[in-house]
Amino acid sequence: MENLDEVYNELIMEHSMNSYNKHKLDHADRCEKGHNPSCGDEIELELKLNGNIIEDIAFTGSGCAISQSSTSIMADVLRGKTIAEAKEITKTFIEMIKREITDEKELEKLEEAIAFKNVANMPARVKCALLAWHTLEKMI
Amino acid sequence: MNSEEIKKDFPIFKNRDITYLDSGATAQRPQCVIDAIDKFYENKNANPHRGAYELSIEATEAYENTRDKVAKFINAAHKEEVIFTKNASEALNLIAYSYGLDNLNEGDKVVISIMEHHSNLVPWQFVTKKTGSKLEYMYINENYELSEEEIKSKITENTKIVGITHVSNVLGTINNIKEIIKYAHKMGAVVIADVSQSIPHMKIDVQDLDCDFLAFSGHKMLAPLGIGVLYGKKKILNNMNPFLMGGDMIEYVYEDKTTFAPLPNKFEAGTQNVEGAVGLGAAIDYIEKIGYDTIENIEKDILSYAKSELSKLDFVETYYTPNKENHSSVISFNIKGIHPHDLATILDSEKVAIRAGDHCAQPLIRYLNLPATCRASFYMYNTKEDVDKLINALKKAYNMFAKFIK
Ligand SMILES: Cc1ncc(COP(=O)(O)O)c(C=O)c1O
Ligand SMILES: [Zn+2]
């Protein structure tokens, strides 16, 4: 793998090690666990909704840098979005990791989550990047 | 012979720039094993046991020659005590289904160690639940070893089966299986020795061990994928029901009943992996040519060098017994603050192949209270240079992460 630094970049490292999104919510409306037996990654996602708006997202858990930072960055990106927008962003993120995106422009809606683009070149780590997003899919 | 010379016999190291430290998962193959398989297909391929013509007879011979070879290699008293399987997992499942299901009753105990690979653990969960018997674990102490007290407190009069790995694939601990077998026999239990991680590295003598069953995979000892061995004492195997049924394992089949073939065919249903057996035979020849003494010396050196180099890295945490004589070829470790999977990814970028995860031993990893470990495992072709590359890659990984560890 050529571009390791592009995967383990500042943003991903900061989010994986020192995430401000890693905590319990006071009054969560929805809660879902996700895990990745191959890696031992575990997360518990919590959502607070206000009508059809995701008012807050937080998570707890442990695992590799990619799974934990992907969860944290997802929380940043989706906070304040409508459920419909979150569904659309989630779909795009999954397609990006699976290399199914043809129009690069579509990636713009991912905001900071675009940082995981290079994980698409790391088959062994795809599951790690997708864990949070697949878990969210079950919640919205 | 030293490991630099041995390495030259393995074509993958010419074709790929790789520091291969995952022989515990599967070994690489020497040229002679690859050639033996080619020669079989070029000269002898036919369905064994099924043709009256010369070619089929030669294919049968090629297959049966390896059985003789394996029997000598592990010092079995009878060649029909050697049963070919797909791998160690299949051998262990065969024992669980064909011996365990029929011989366990309510109130009986199966005792295994917390170090077992899932393949010597999950089948016993299944079989004990099915039969209403109980599964108990022997736990390790602070040295990652089974103490005599622990063994004696778990293996008791109502223990019917003991399953024990010779060498732990996570910790490298060498269990004193000879003593465990002796004690278990005193308590009236039969013992299954899983030698998957030991037979690549040390001489196994089933009569000296006096184990009732023994299992291993060929692919960890230089042989091809897809061939494994079950050894069982003749008397016990003769009394067991077959595991898989179908062609080649029968004597007479009527519409409503069947009589089974004698050993070993009773346990070898269907067209067998002759290519695998031939490769296994060549692997045994190669190991005997190098000699276990040489292999042990090479590995002792490399293991102690690796341990001493790792101990110089204060950010690395290791998990192995301090008793040198009880430690074989495997080192599990972690870097504080870096998840094992991230570490494996970074090492991979330096072309260092190690394994990260639970190593098919989740109960052990949980017992150790770790999320997972990284594992470097060594074989006769690993050199000090391989260790140096590992150490440098670990330093690189640590430096990448260090500035973010708060
Ligand atoms: C101790 C031990 N037992 C059993 C096995 C299972 O071997 P296989 O996957 O070839 O069946 C392994 C391999 O990982 C092992 O290390
Ligand atoms: Zn992961």
Side-chain angles (χ1 to χ4, degrees):
Chain A
M1 198 193 345
E2 325 75 50
N3 40 15
L4 197 64
D5 296 339
E6 287 171 27
V7 173
Y8 291 101
N9 57 35
E10 292 268 338
L11 180 74
I12 287 179
M13 296 290 247
E14 271 300 334
H15 274 274
S16 83
M17 299 230 188
N18 314 298
S19 175
Y20 44 81
N21 293 319
K22 200 167 198 167
H23 57 82
K24 285 271 193 198
L25 289 183
D26 281 342
H27 301 285
D29 295 306
R30 291 182 196 173
C31 174
E32 182 79 37
K33 284 184 183 164
H35 72 127
N36 212 340
S38 66
C39 210
D41 300 332
E42 287 175 344
I43 55 162
E44 187 165 348
L45 267 186
E46 290 187 329
L47 289 192
K48 188 162 169 45
L49 300 175
N50 183 358
N52 66 343
I53 303 225
I54 297 175
E55 195 170 283
D56 204 1
I57 305 192
F59 75 105
T60 51
S62 63
C64 69
I66 294 176
S67 68
Q68 301 302 299
S69 59
S70 178
T71 314
S72 179
I73 289 173
M74 179 183 83
D76 275 0
V77 172
L78 300 186
R79 192 175 290 117
K81 299 281 195 298
T82 65
I83 291 199
E85 286 166 335
K87 279 187 176 164
E88 183 57 29
I89 293 170
T90 301
K91 182 169 164 279
T92 306
F93 185 87
I94 294 169
E95 285 173 354
M96 171 180 80
I97 300 292
K98 293 187 170 168
R99 298 210 233 186
E100 287 166 0
I101 296 271
T102 42
D103 183 4
E104 292 276 317
K105 264 231 191 86
E106 282 201 43
L107 299 181
E108 280 168 19
K109 62 165 106 63
L110 294 181
E111 299 170 28
E112 285 191 328
I114 202 170
F116 292 93
K117 196 173 167 212
N118 285 303
V119 175
N121 303 322
M122 303 162 73
R125 308 309 298 278
V126 160
K127 274 193 193 152
C128 307
L130 291 181
L131 177 63
W133 303 80
H134 280 320
T135 308
L136 183 84
E137 270 188 322
K138 290 187 228 151
M139 305 169 77
I140 57 175
Chain B
M1 287 286 255
N2 60 34
S3 49
E4 281 83 7
E5 284 162 346
I6 290 175
K7 204 169 210 162
K8 291 188 189 132
D9 292 336
F10 291 74
I12 198 151
F13 298 122
K14 292 182 200 121
N15 300 331
R16 298 295 295 260
D17 175 19
I18 188 169
T19 303
Y20 190 71
L21 299 176
D22 197 22
S23 296
T26 196
Q28 294 300 341
R29 320 283 178 254
Q31 189 66 53
C32 58
V33 168
I34 300 166
D35 289 346
I37 298 166
D38 281 353
K39 283 211 188 82
F40 167 74
Y41 281 119
E42 287 166 10
N43 300 300
K44 295 195 173 171
N45 180 50
N47 198 317
H49 302 300
R50 285 186 190 174
Y53 48 90
E54 192 181 349
L55 195 61
S56 171
I57 292 163
E58 284 184 36
T60 310
E61 266 169 20
Y63 184 65
E64 292 301 324
N65 278 346
T66 295
R67 196 189 310 277
D68 287 332
K69 222 173 249 180
V70 173
K72 283 204 193 84
F73 187 60
I74 62 173
N75 194 30
H78 311 277
K79 68 172 280 191
E80 62 272 26
E81 294 179 323
V82 172
I83 314 288
F84 288 120
T85 62
K86 204 159 71 207
N87 47 34
S89 301
E90 191 186 47
L92 293 162
N93 274 274
L94 190 160
I95 305 166
Y97 276 81
S98 290
Y99 185 85
L101 278 181
D102 288 342
N103 287 281
L104 289 167
N105 294 301
E106 249 169 78
D108 290 343
K109 265 193 338 189
V110 173
V111 176
I112 63 176
S113 87
I114 192 70
M115 277 177 264
E116 298 313 305
H117 188 279
H118 292 161
S119 62
N120 200 23
L121 190 159
V122 183
W124 298 114
Q125 281 179 347
F126 173 79
V127 165
T128 49
K129 280 199 184 114
K130 259 302 210 232
T131 56
S133 53
K134 202 165 159 242
L135 181 61
E136 266 189 28
Y137 290 86
M138 298 182 282
Y139 294 98
I140 49 176
N141 60 21
E142 64 286 356
N143 287 344
Y144 308 110
E145 293 176 353
L146 293 172
S147 72
E148 200 179 316
E149 304 87 80
E150 179 65 8
I151 292 163
K152 291 192 169 165
S153 75
K154 296 291 164 65
I155 302 176
T156 55
E157 267 108 18
N158 51 358
T159 304
K160 292 289 144 57
I161 296 174
V162 175
I164 181 75
T165 187
H166 193 185
V167 167
S168 158
N169 67 320
V170 178
L171 302 165
T173 302
I174 305 173
N175 290 310
N176 190 344
I177 53 172
K178 193 170 167 178
E179 285 303 312
I180 294 174
I181 291 164
K182 212 155 111 192
Y183 188 74
H185 283 168
K186 212 157 87 187
M187 293 292 128
V190 301
V191 184
I192 300 142
D194 176 1
V195 299
S196 304
Q197 290 291 343
S198 59
I199 200 163
H201 310 287
M202 57 191 83
K203 178 78 193 151
I204 299 296
D205 181 330
V206 292
Q207 293 189 70
D208 179 54
L209 289 173
D210 198 25
C211 51
D212 302 285
F213 295 104
L214 172 140
F216 63 92
S217 285
H219 67 88
K220 294 185 202 286
M221 52 168 287
L222 314 177
L225 296 165
I227 186 88
V229 169
L230 162 72
Y231 158 86
K233 282 182 180 163
K234 195 170 159 181
K235 220 168 83 192
I236 303 178
L237 290 176
N238 268 329
N239 285 324
M240 282 160 56
N241 281 314
F243 176 45
L244 303 173
M245 298 179 214
D248 291 333
M249 51 77 68
I250 48 83
E251 223 169 32
Y252 295 105
V253 179
Y254 303 93
E255 286 187 25
D256 60 344
K257 64 171 191 265
T258 294
T259 57
F260 299 117
L263 293 176
N265 302 53
K266 179 167 107 180
F267 290 107
E268 293 180 0
T271 303
Q272 295 296 301
N273 180 2
V274 183
E275 144 189 348
V278 166
L280 177 60
I284 290 174
D285 290 342
Y286 186 82
I287 288 174
E288 289 185 328
K289 188 185 98 190
I290 304 289
Y292 272 119
D293 287 348
T294 304
I295 295 171
E296 277 181 42
N297 282 332
I298 288 172
E299 292 179 0
K300 209 160 70 193
D301 271 3
I302 198 85
L303 195 64
S304 74
Y305 180 67
K307 286 195 273 195
S308 110
E309 290 302 298
L310 281 170
S311 72
K312 292 178 194 161
L313 307 178
D314 59 3
F315 51 85
V316 171
E317 199 169 75
T318 51
Y319 318 101
Y320 56 79
T321 169
N323 301 318
K324 259 199 335 235
E325 67 283 5
N326 295 344
H327 185 200
S328 167
S329 299
V330 173
I331 302 179
S332 269
F333 60 91
N334 274 317
I335 292 185
K336 287 168 219 145
I338 309 186
H339 190 276
H341 265 235
D342 294 315
L343 191 50
T345 298
I346 299 165
L347 296 195
D348 184 36
S349 77
E350 298 291 299
K351 299 194 173 3
V352 176
I354 58 144
R355 184 162 171 196
D358 57 41
H359 314 294
C360 303
Q362 287 180 12
L364 173 63
I365 299 292
R366 211 170 286 123
Y367 185 73
L368 294 170
N369 205 12
L370 296 168
T373 76
C374 294
R375 179 186 76 176
S377 50
F378 304 93
Y379 207 9
M380 54 173 101
Y381 39 66
N382 286 120
T383 59
K384 289 193 174 164
E385 198 190 332
D386 292 336
V387 174
D388 293 338
K389 287 193 176 145
L390 168 68
I391 298 293
N392 286 333
L394 288 174
K395 286 180 184 160
K396 178 183 159 170
Y398 179 70
N399 289 334
M400 265 181 77
F401 273 65
K403 54 182 180 286
F404 300 99
I405 298 175
K406 290 203 175 131

